[in-house]
Amino acid sequence: MRGLGPGLSAQKFLRLRLRSRFLTRPRPRRFGAPGATLERAMDELLGRTVPQAPAYELREKTPAPAESQCADFMRFYGSLEGASQRAELLSRLARGFGVDHGQVAEHSAGVLRLGAAVGAAPGPPPGPGVSSLPAPAPREPGALLHAEDRLRYALVPRYRGLFQHISKLEGGVRFLVQLRADLLEAQALKIAEGPHVREMNGVLKNMLSDWFSTGFLNLERVTWHSPCEVLQKISECEAVHPVKNWMDMKRRVSSYRRCYFFSHCSTPGEPLIVLHVALTNEISNNIQAIVKEFSPPETEDKNKIVTAIFYSISLTQQGLQGVELGSFLIKRVVKELQREFPHLETFSSLSPIPGFTKWLLGTLSSQTKELGRNELFTDSECNEISDIIGGPISETLKILLTSNEWVKSEKLVKVLQSPLMRLCAWYLYGEKHRGYALNPVANFHLQNGAVMWRINWLADLSLKGTTSSCGMMVNYRYFLEETSVNSAAYLGAKNIKASEQVLNLVSQFQKLSKL
């Protein structure tokens, strides 16, 4: 996490005092011991705290487990040291307290049997000479609906009951957000794996999606007069363009800038996801102009504000990954800006392209290995690059592209512009995962109904920008009257709406590069 720069001892002190309520772990007494003793303690805890699923007939009459049992689980979990211990407990919970597959099979068979009977109906009349057999009489569908309801009940894993009861305790939802963050971390580290773990992650994600739906979210604007802990949290969680110091933070919430976040009704003032906006007179083509050091004027000239640029969106709670917050936040902010500036009509992002350099280096390596040559660049481009770097381009170019050294050579910048622009266009437009855009940022904005509008050369000259995306950024433009149609076309038919500039670059790639 980033601080707000040197020379701020008072603020460093505040940082120690003002911790996010979401991220603070309890410090209870220690349970268990190393090795088998701790594992036995885990099994005993789960057997005692995970509620038994009541019989179907008693599902609405069985009392909930005592609050103390859920609190015991929370205290025990908070006492565990390190990701591996937490992953072990979560793995045991997922494997041992899921769905009763025997009951599911039994109820499924009942549904199939009743479904065949209910669906039975007289068929077309038999042809000449064919004997007619009586069809089974169709039955009343009530029994089938009852059987389907029993099947749905059997498909609910036991641990869902534990999560549901924890959510009713004070601080329970915050606890579950952190628990899912731990689960995602354990999956990424491959210390909690398998279908049962993936299933539990999906169940918890769906529960959080319900609890964090738009009806429970508050839109709040950040200004320089916002509470210190809010400014600190937003600065620390800025994942796209890191905040350098307090003056940098002040510029990002002052005139011609807006910062909004969603908070939950149970924790007002606690940022869940943050959106930074620049109010400009055109669609920005580089981030340097937006996060540059300048003294913001006291007042805004509304005549100069014709475009809203979404230049950073950051999730502050990793446990809410996959919960649809970003799309809702952009839509709410657009409405908020239109209320403040009724004449405002142009909305666009200025987005990073994470993963492009990695994809490019991987493609270069595979071509060199399989073909013994590079076919991403034309012969003339290869010759120009070779003349500048003084030798074969593949290995040297890979070294240059993983650092920011190449941007210091004016000649190399000039010769790489054309090939890297068309390769980037293909990466964004043509590289797919299950039919959708491979790049996660592109996929996010296209799902929202935006148009892939413009790829910008040398738009982010920071070390992070040059090493992750060769310094390029992309605008995704939101035409408000078309977003619903574009979103439906992308999600349904997997069609990407793109501008002429992007399509021309894609056409150049298809003509000049060979993959």
Side-chain angles (χ1 to χ4, degrees):
M1 303 291 263
R2 291 182 56 86
L4 288 175
L8 297 173
S9 57
Q11 302 304 335
K12 290 179 181 178
F13 173 75
L14 281 175
R15 192 163 59 228
L16 296 174
R17 298 289 305 275
L18 300 171
R19 294 295 186 189
S20 164
R21 285 171 288 174
F22 270 86
L23 296 181
T24 302
R25 287 186 179 279
R27 297 282 184 183
R29 63 187 178 88
R30 298 298 177 193
F31 290 80
T37 305
L38 178 58
E39 293 175 357
R40 285 196 298 271
M42 289 181 179
D43 291 337
E44 186 277 330
L45 171 86
L46 294 176
R48 178 168 50 84
T49 59
V50 181
Q52 285 280 356
Y56 175 80
E57 291 75 15
L58 300 176
R59 63 194 184 281
E60 295 178 356
K61 300 177 182 178
T62 303
E67 288 187 4
S68 60
Q69 293 175 253
C70 297
D72 281 349
F73 180 89
M74 295 171 67
R75 284 194 295 270
F76 186 98
Y77 187 86
S79 75
L80 296 175
E81 297 179 349
S84 60
Q85 289 189 2
R86 294 191 291 271
E88 178 63 26
L89 179 62
L90 293 175
S91 296
R92 288 171 179 268
L93 178 62
R95 289 194 307 266
F97 298 86
V99 168
D100 185 329
H101 299 294
Q103 283 195 18
V104 170
E106 178 184 341
H107 293 310
S108 297
V111 168
L112 290 173
R113 184 174 60 254
L114 289 168
V118 170
V130 179
S131 62
S132 177
L133 297 176
R139 297 184 180 181
E140 175 63 34
L144 173 61
L145 295 175
H146 182 72
E148 289 173 342
D149 192 51
R150 294 183 73 101
L151 175 59
R152 278 192 295 271
Y153 183 70
L155 285 168
V156 176
R158 275 184 63 184
Y159 51 70
R160 194 184 192 284
L162 174 65
F163 297 155
Q164 190 70 48
H165 295 307
I166 287 175
S167 72
K168 299 174 183 178
L169 301 182
E170 182 179 358
V173 173
R174 293 195 295 270
F175 172 83
L176 292 172
V177 170
Q178 183 58 55
L179 184 144
R180 182 164 182 259
D182 294 340
L183 184 59
L184 291 171
E185 180 187 18
Q187 289 181 286
L189 295 173
K190 300 188 182 302
I191 55 177
E193 299 183 275
H196 294 95
V197 171
R198 292 193 296 271
E199 175 68 14
M200 188 169 75
N201 176 51
V203 168
L204 189 51
K205 172 192 165 184
N206 290 336
M207 297 178 77
L208 291 172
S209 295
D210 290 338
W211 296 330
F212 287 87
S213 63
T214 52
F216 301 114
L217 299 176
N218 303 313
L219 180 68
E220 302 189 40
R221 179 182 167 187
V222 183
T223 70
W224 189 238
H225 302 291
S226 296
C228 177
E229 61 266 32
V230 172
L231 293 168
Q232 180 71 41
K233 181 64 180 288
I234 288 174
S235 71
E236 290 178 342
C237 295
E238 171 54 38
V240 186
H241 306 291
V243 177
K244 300 174 183 176
N245 48 46
W246 275 110
M247 285 306 300
D248 189 12
M249 188 68 221
K250 184 177 182 179
R251 286 189 290 268
R252 299 193 191 196
V253 297
S254 297
S255 55
Y256 297 102
R257 300 291 183 268
R258 295 292 185 273
C259 180
Y260 299 92
F261 67 84
F262 268 151
S263 64
H264 193 258
C265 61
S266 65
T267 53
E270 181 69 38
L272 303 176
I273 185 169
V274 183
L275 178 66
H276 288 272
V277 186
L279 304 175
T280 66
N281 60 359
E282 62 180 358
I283 297 179
S284 304
N285 63 6
N286 72 86
I287 194 61
Q288 288 83 223
I290 292 178
V291 298
K292 65 182 178 181
E293 295 185 10
F294 69 100
S295 298
E298 292 291 331
T299 59
E300 296 171 338
D301 183 352
K302 293 192 175 183
N303 294 323
K304 295 181 179 179
I305 298 175
V306 297
T307 302
I309 303 294
F310 311 125
Y311 68 92
S312 173
I313 185 166
S314 298
L315 188 67
T316 68
Q317 310 298 329
Q318 295 310 305
L320 295 177
Q321 284 183 35
V323 177
E324 193 173 0
L325 297 176
S327 300
F328 293 139
L329 179 56
I330 288 177
K331 292 174 183 177
R332 289 280 298 276
V333 166
V334 165
K335 292 180 180 179
E336 187 72 16
L337 291 173
Q338 286 182 319
R339 278 195 288 268
E340 186 178 2
F341 305 101
H343 64 284
L344 190 61
E345 296 182 350
T346 305
F347 298 90
S348 173
S349 78
L350 180 62
S351 301
I353 313 173
F356 170 65
T357 302
K358 182 179 179 180
W359 171 83
L360 177 58
L361 295 174
T363 306
L364 279 169
S365 297
S366 63
Q367 281 212 333
T368 304
K369 182 178 180 180
E370 295 172 11
L371 304 175
R373 62 184 183 278
N374 163 43
E375 293 188 343
L376 297 180
F377 302 90
T378 65
D379 291 341
S380 62
E381 288 167 349
C382 287
N383 291 334
E384 287 185 82
I385 295 171
S386 182
D387 289 342
I388 296 171
I389 64 178
I393 72 169
S394 292
E395 293 304 319
T396 306
L397 193 57
K398 284 192 287 184
I399 295 172
L400 290 170
L401 291 176
T402 53
S403 68
N404 63 344
E405 293 302 313
W406 65 276
V407 297
K408 298 177 182 179
S409 168
E410 185 176 337
K411 292 181 179 179
L412 199 54
V413 166
K414 184 177 180 181
V415 73
L416 286 176
Q417 179 173 356
S418 181
L420 292 188
M421 286 280 283
R422 69 173 184 262
L423 285 163
C424 186
W426 177 256
Y427 168 70
L428 292 172
Y429 185 88
E431 289 293 319
K432 303 292 177 63
H433 174 65
R434 298 177 180 174
Y436 298 105
L438 175 65
N439 182 265
V441 179
N443 188 52
F444 169 76
H445 288 290
L446 294 170
Q447 285 188 49
N448 293 342
V451 175
M452 194 177 290
W453 184 250
R454 185 177 66 198
I455 299 173
N456 304 295
W457 180 244
L458 297 187
D460 184 0
L461 292 175
S462 68
L463 178 61
K464 180 180 178 181
T466 54
T467 54
S468 67
S469 59
C470 297
M472 286 179 282
M473 301 186 76
V474 57
N475 300 114
Y476 297 99
R477 187 168 176 182
Y478 285 80
F479 294 93
L480 301 184
E481 67 281 2
E482 299 176 8
T483 53
S484 296
V485 174
N486 293 343
S487 177
Y490 179 69
L491 293 172
K494 302 176 181 176
N495 292 332
I496 294 177
K497 187 73 175 293
S499 69
E500 185 175 348
Q501 185 237 27
V502 174
L503 294 177
N504 283 340
L505 288 169
V506 170
S507 179
Q508 291 176 31
F509 170 85
Q510 292 172 325
K511 179 181 178 181
L512 300 175
S513 300
K514 304 178 181 65
L515 279 184

